[in-house]
Amino acid sequence: MVSKNTICLWYDGTALDAAKFYAETFPDSAVEAVHRAPGDFPAGKQGDVLTVEFTVMGIPCLGLNGGSAFEHNEAFSFQVATDDQAETDRLWNAIVGNGGQESVCGWCKDKWGVSWQITPRALTAAITDPDRAAAARRAFEAMMGMGKIDIAAIEAARRTDAPDTQPMSPPLQDQ
């Protein structure tokens, strides 16, 4: 890899599958190289895929097939800024529909356990509205009751004094 800083993601033998999914799902993403192990290693044998170089939306990543010792969690996530509801729906549905898991406030997890924040730019604008006491608070409260972000509902909450919101619920936890 050419980049001085690369995100390394740990997989249990599925780095190539994950990299291919990301390349097919996200713009400016690709699988660049697949490296096979020159000898046996704790999680595999000589000739198995050891690492995969790929980019996700222009961010260089390395998938390491390190075995089952470590799992992904919400402490790391990719945040994807979407331009409209169609893009938000497409990305959310691709992740969740491919064996992933829904969470709250625009978060979801892919089937490999990597967390994603599918965040419409309209949401960011709403919760950073200079009208902190009203518009930003209402938009934030509306977001707290959502799984996938509904841009129309966020914009409606931003404009009204009486949003239809639900109480905040905690993120989904791994069992």
Side-chain angles (χ1 to χ4, degrees), residues 1 6-7 15 20 29-30 41 74 96 100 120 125 170:
M1 299 211 106
T6 300
I7 294 171
K20 287 179 179 178
S29 300
F41 61 108
E74 290 79 359
V96 172

Side-chain angles (χ1 to χ4, degrees), residues 44-63:
K45 302 286 184 205
Q46 179 178 347
D48 288 351
V49 174
L50 179 62
T51 61
V52 180
E53 295 177 29
F54 60 100
T55 56
V56 176
M57 297 170 288
I59 299 171
C61 298
L62 180 75

Side-chain angles (χ1 to χ4, degrees), residues 133-149:
R137 179 186 51 76
R138 290 190 307 267
F140 182 80
E141 288 174 358
M143 174 203 65
M144 294 304 289
M146 295 179 184
K148 177 175 60 177
I149 302 301

Side-chain angles (χ1 to χ4, degrees), residues 3-89:
S3 180
K4 190 170 189 108
N5 187 9
T6 300
I7 294 171
C8 182
L9 298 167
W10 186 286
Y11 295 89
D12 186 9
T14 58
L16 183 55
D17 292 338
K20 287 179 179 178
F21 173 76
Y22 304 148
E24 293 168 359
T25 303
F26 298 99
D28 194 21
S29 300
V31 176
E32 276 99 27
V34 177
H35 302 285
R36 298 193 176 272
D40 291 350
F41 61 108
K45 302 286 184 205
Q46 179 178 347
D48 288 351
V49 174
L50 179 62
T51 61
V52 180
E53 295 177 29
F54 60 100
T55 56
V56 176
M57 297 170 288
I59 299 171
C61 298
L62 180 75
L64 169 65
N65 281 328
S68 61
F70 301 106
E71 294 182 4
H72 299 284
N73 65 47
E74 290 79 359
F76 171 87
S77 64
F78 284 99
Q79 185 179 49
V80 182
T82 57
D83 292 323
D84 55 31
Q85 193 67 53
E87 183 182 21
T88 300
D89 292 348

